[in-house]
Amino acid sequence: MRPLPLRPLVLAALMLGAALAPASAAPRVDARAKAWVAGVVSRIGMADRAAAPGRGGQVTLRVRIEADGALGGIVLEEGPAALGARAARAVQAAAPFPPPPSGLLTLEGFTELSFPLTLR
């Protein structure tokens, strides 16, 4: 997987409340893009609950989504490997996703999101 593009990571951080800068210094994020990111994360969480919930915890994932909404890759950035495998299954079950808004796409035609996911 290629290095993370900055813009999608900034968007994911803003969406999930992880921005460290004061709100006045944060870049403006399109409401459509916010809704798309929230929908992707929610869809993944619902796919896990629909499977077979087991022992829970939190992991941080990096998910690559192609311009057509196809899943391009999953990387466990932080968390136990067993939970990472469970989270990866949830991402795969939730795919394909709605196509990302054009403003979130890299020049190569994909976006990557990095976000924490709590598995129950």
Side-chain angles (χ1 to χ4, degrees):
M1 194 174 274
R2 295 181 185 161
L4 295 175
L6 181 59
R7 186 173 182 173
L9 282 181
V10 169
L11 176 66
L14 289 172
M15 284 298 306
L16 300 168
L20 300 175
S24 61
R28 293 188 181 263
V29 179
D30 179 88
R32 186 169 158 237
K34 284 183 181 181
W36 180 82
V37 172
V40 166
V41 174
S42 176
R43 188 172 175 155
I44 292 168
M46 289 180 0
D48 177 63
R49 284 189 282 284
R55 188 168 182 194
Q58 184 169 317
V59 297
T60 301
L61 297 176
R62 181 174 17 141
V63 177
R64 177 176 168 157
I65 301 174
E66 305 296 333
D68 64 357
L71 179 61
I74 308 164
V75 174
L76 174 63
E77 293 184 325
E78 187 176 326
L83 281 179
R86 181 175 151 197
R89 287 190 301 273
V91 173
Q92 291 165 343
F97 301 98
S102 60
L104 296 182
L105 295 174
T106 64
L107 294 175
E108 293 84 11
F110 65 88
T111 191
E112 285 185 321
L113 304 176
S114 179
F115 57 91
L117 181 65
T118 301
L119 304 168
R120 300 185 193 278

